[in-house]
Amino acid sequence: MSVEESLERSTSAASLAHAQRLSEKIKEKINTSPEEFRVLTGDRPTGNLHLGHYFGSLRNRVELQRKGVETWLVIADFQVITDRDGTGPIRERVRSLATDYLAVGIDPDAAVIFPHSAIPGLNELMLPFLSLVTDAELRRNPTVKAEHEATGGRPLSGLLLTYPVHQAADILFCKANLVPVGKDQLPHLEQARVIADRFEARYGRPTGRETPVFPRPQALLSEGTSILGLDGAKMSKSRGNTIEIGMSADETAKRIKKAVTDSDRHITYDPENRPEVANLLLLASLAQGRPAAEIAAEIGDGGAGTLKKIVTESINEMFAPIRAKRAELAKDPGYVDGIVRRGIEIANERANKTLAEVREALQMVY
């Protein structure tokens, strides 16, 4: 390892430790003063949401909203084409995503759900924001680097290269001050903070304003557990190794029946040496709210068949009310579309106010 790589790793570790400490303080503050926070989070509409999304983030979003935190959910439809040649059935996927949000418990009367392509003011922020970052900074972003490497060095699209800036616009246009993220997403949030700071330093504030135009958003580190796909690989919509939130109980059973395990009939929870078995136990654990090792001990010599039966029953029982609600919502797409249109209206109003402040700071009011 080079000196530069060693220094970068050390800096990243220190940054993560700082983010974890700050995140714990924020969690304490949420319990006493939730009204001080505005959360922005969301997903790309590339397919149906699955268990990884639910246990990794959706459940936490519902809990934050129930505690009284103002919640904004961006459906990042423009970001679908950062690395794809087309949009696919984008309209249906946007509606499906909104339906999933409502089905898992997001309160439509309190949350703002919107696709960012429908918010012109949000996207216009990209122009002044791009003046605040360099080409080298964007290329160092972990997501951009990973995508570039995955293409074998094929030239990046301009949209993919500026992906971190678009994320910053999503966060800053509504003046969100809290973003739930995993540790791998911290660099994106740091980019948003850098843009907020540089805007203040370079362009200042509208006349008479006492605070910066943009708050510095903080990370709420996710405690979501990493779940493997049913084939033992990373859970991915494109691999078909997921259990979608909207799947029927029978479809769920069929998928779990095909899940990869191993040849040892005695079931133990050993993530390092038996990752596929441990992953199924983890799913049962998350669904039942009990330790995975405890479930493994109960199964004992019952083998993979018993394990899969318990996982299937646990997931289907937990998701039965969510799926019932989702099915009901799917019968009334007009209702879901209305929730999204309301979100678009609120988001546009907020974006236009922010953009007016930005233009005044830039002295571009004519």
Side-chain angles (χ1 to χ4, degrees):
M1 182 186 301
S2 67
V3 174
E4 290 81 4
E5 289 174 329
S6 178
L7 180 59
E8 183 178 350
R9 181 171 295 185
S10 175
T11 302
S12 297
S15 177
L16 176 59
H18 174 72
Q20 288 171 329
R21 289 193 297 270
L22 184 57
S23 187
E24 289 305 313
K25 292 180 180 178
I26 289 172
K27 289 174 185 176
E28 294 175 6
K29 188 73 171 177
I30 287 173
N31 289 329
T32 57
S33 305
E35 71 282 353
E36 293 186 15
F37 298 97
R38 175 179 292 162
V39 161
L40 185 286
T41 185
D43 304 275
R44 292 201 307 170
T46 54
N48 296 325
L49 297 184
H50 51 65
L51 297 196
H53 296 115
Y54 181 77
F55 291 123
S57 61
L58 294 175
R59 188 165 61 172
N60 185 49
R61 296 176 196 178
V62 173
E63 182 61 24
L64 284 172
Q65 190 183 42
R66 286 176 178 165
K67 287 182 177 181
V69 176
E70 183 180 340
T71 303
W72 290 56
L73 295 167
V74 58
I75 300 176
D77 52 346
F78 264 150
Q79 289 176 5
V80 170
I81 57 173
T82 56
D83 55 355
R84 299 178 183 221
D85 296 327
T87 62
I90 192 73
R91 183 180 179 87
E92 292 79 2
R93 287 175 176 171
V94 167
R95 181 186 291 143
S96 175
L97 208 59
T99 303
D100 283 336
Y101 289 161
L102 300 176
V104 300
I106 291 294
D107 181 358
D109 294 325
V112 182
I113 302 172
F114 64 98
H116 62 189
S117 69
I119 317 301
L122 180 163
N123 292 289
E124 189 173 330
L125 287 177
M126 285 277 286
L127 293 174
F129 283 4
L130 285 168
S131 75
L132 301 169
V133 298
T134 67
D135 171 79
E137 286 175 323
L138 294 175
R139 291 183 182 278
R140 284 198 299 270
N141 181 276
T143 298
V144 174
K145 285 173 65 176
E147 291 291 343
H148 188 49
E149 291 168 1
T151 62
R154 188 180 70 185
L156 296 172
S157 72
L159 187 56
L160 180 55
L161 182 63
T162 58
Y163 176 77
V165 182
H166 203 183
Q167 280 201 322
D170 286 337
I171 296 166
L172 297 175
F173 96 96
C174 66
K175 306 203 174 181
N177 59 3
L178 192 60
V179 183
V181 294
K183 63 180 181 180
D184 294 341
Q185 298 167 305
L186 282 172
H188 286 293
L189 190 55
E190 180 58 30
Q191 184 71 77
R193 282 195 290 265
V194 166
I195 287 172
D197 290 343
R198 288 179 181 172
F199 187 93
E200 167 75 1
R202 184 176 299 181
Y203 302 123
R205 310 169 185 176
T207 302
R209 186 184 175 92
E210 296 182 356
T211 58
V213 173
F214 299 108
R216 300 185 82 250
Q218 299 299 327
L220 182 64
L221 280 173
S222 171
E223 296 178 352
T225 306
S226 179
I227 302 171
L228 297 176
L230 297 175
D231 58 357
K234 180 180 179 181
M235 188 171 282
S236 169
K237 293 175 245 184
S238 62
R239 291 182 64 95
N241 63 0
T242 66
I243 297 172
E244 296 173 2
I245 291 173
M247 278 183 173
S248 69
D250 287 343
E251 288 174 311
T252 299
K254 289 177 182 177
R255 290 240 173 156
I256 294 174
K257 189 174 182 179
K258 295 178 181 178
V260 174
T261 54
D262 58 34
S263 60
D264 189 345
R265 184 171 180 78
H266 186 72
I267 301 301
T268 58
Y269 183 62
D270 186 352
E272 184 174 347
N273 297 308
R274 307 181 70 185
E276 296 88 358
V277 170
N279 189 59
L280 289 175
L281 286 166
L282 178 60
L283 286 174
S285 169
L286 290 168
Q288 293 185 24
R290 292 198 298 145
E294 182 179 306
I295 297 172
E298 291 176 359
I299 297 172
D301 292 327
T306 302
L307 170 60
K308 291 179 181 181
K309 180 176 182 291
I310 288 175
V311 173
T312 300
E313 291 173 351
S314 301
I315 290 175
N316 281 337
E317 182 178 349
M318 177 184 183
F319 278 91
I322 292 174
R323 287 167 170 171
K325 185 174 181 180
R326 196 188 192 289
E328 183 181 345
L329 289 164
K331 292 177 183 177
D332 190 1
Y335 170 75
V336 178
D337 289 347
I339 297 298
V340 173
R341 283 195 295 270
R342 172 183 168 275
I344 290 171
E345 183 179 344
I346 295 172
N348 270 314
E349 183 178 356
R350 176 68 268 175
N352 291 337
K353 288 180 180 178
T354 300
L355 195 57
E357 295 174 25
V358 167
R359 287 173 176 162
E360 189 172 348
L362 292 168
Q363 301 185 53
M364 293 180 178
V365 179
Y366 305 109

